[in-house]
């Protein structure tokens, strides 16, 4: 068996124990994603990554609202994500939402329901903050980054 048990969690043999796993939920216009990382370190190592195509933003431009079926699909994904986090003994969970929730008239209502499901506050990012965090992700993931990056997300595109 190539795993050992430390501090109540299962870790691949030979890995450094950086404390409990940490996770991020990203509620976007097209998808809802959970990424769980090995621990909170300078260079994050993902150990789990799942995306559900909920389509929250598909009707925002035409109706101004998050579609009911998309809301149901996103909430079901969040229920699963919370269970996965509990099963992986995630120590800290951050949740963010972007353009669809920011722009939809029922976006805040959805976020209230989603916070109850997730058990954590959900930050609705401004377009500027979303861009800043994307840039920080690039600069922390590449040595001496040099070039142009475009975020081809759903709602902000």
């Amino acid at each position: 068996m190539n795993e050992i048990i430390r501090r109540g969690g299962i870790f691949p043999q030979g890995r450094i124990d950086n404390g409990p796993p940490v996770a991020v939920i990203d509620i976007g216009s097209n998808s809802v994603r959970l990424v769980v990382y090995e621990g909170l370190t300078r260079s994050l190592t993902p150990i789990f990554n799942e995306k559900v195509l909920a389509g929250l933003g598909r009707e925002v431009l035409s109706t101004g609202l998050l579609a009911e079926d998309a809301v149901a699909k996103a909430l079901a994904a969040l229920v699963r994500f919370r269970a996965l986090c509990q099963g992986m003994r995630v120590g800290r969970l951050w949740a963010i939402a972007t353009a669809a929730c920011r722009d939809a008239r029922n976006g805040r209502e959805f976020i209230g329901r989603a916070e109850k499901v997730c058990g954590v506050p959900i930050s609705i990012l401004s377009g500027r903050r979303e861009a800043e965090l994307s840039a920080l992700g690039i600069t922390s993931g590449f040595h001496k980054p040099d070039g142009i990056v475009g975020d081809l997300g759903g709602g902000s595109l």
Side-chain angles (χ1 to χ4, degrees), residues 141-155:
F142 291 92
H143 179 66
K144 296 184 181 179
D146 180 23
I148 296 174
V149 175
D151 177 3
L152 302 179

Side-chain angles (χ1 to χ4, degrees), residues 73-109:
K73 193 169 188 177
L75 291 172
L78 294 173
V79 167
R80 174 174 165 72
F81 291 171
R82 182 171 183 181
L84 287 165
C85 287
Q86 289 171 338
M88 287 184 263
R89 296 187 174 128
V90 166
R92 180 109 191 250
L93 171 63
W94 290 272
I96 59 170
T98 57
C101 295
R102 180 172 63 233
D103 297 340
R105 289 193 314 268
N106 61 343
R108 295 229 179 249
E109 176 190 333

Side-chain angles (χ1 to χ4, degrees), residues 95-148:
I96 59 170
T98 57
C101 295
R102 180 172 63 233
D103 297 340
R105 289 193 314 268
N106 61 343
R108 295 229 179 249
E109 176 190 333
F110 165 75
I111 291 299
R113 293 172 67 191
E115 286 177 334
K116 288 178 184 167
V117 169
C118 292
V120 296
I122 298 172
S123 298
I124 301 175
L125 302 180
S126 68
R128 180 177 183 89
R129 184 64 178 151
E130 186 177 349
E132 289 169 348
L133 291 174
S134 294
L136 286 171
I138 295 297
T139 58
S140 68
F142 291 92
H143 179 66
K144 296 184 181 179
D146 180 23
I148 296 174

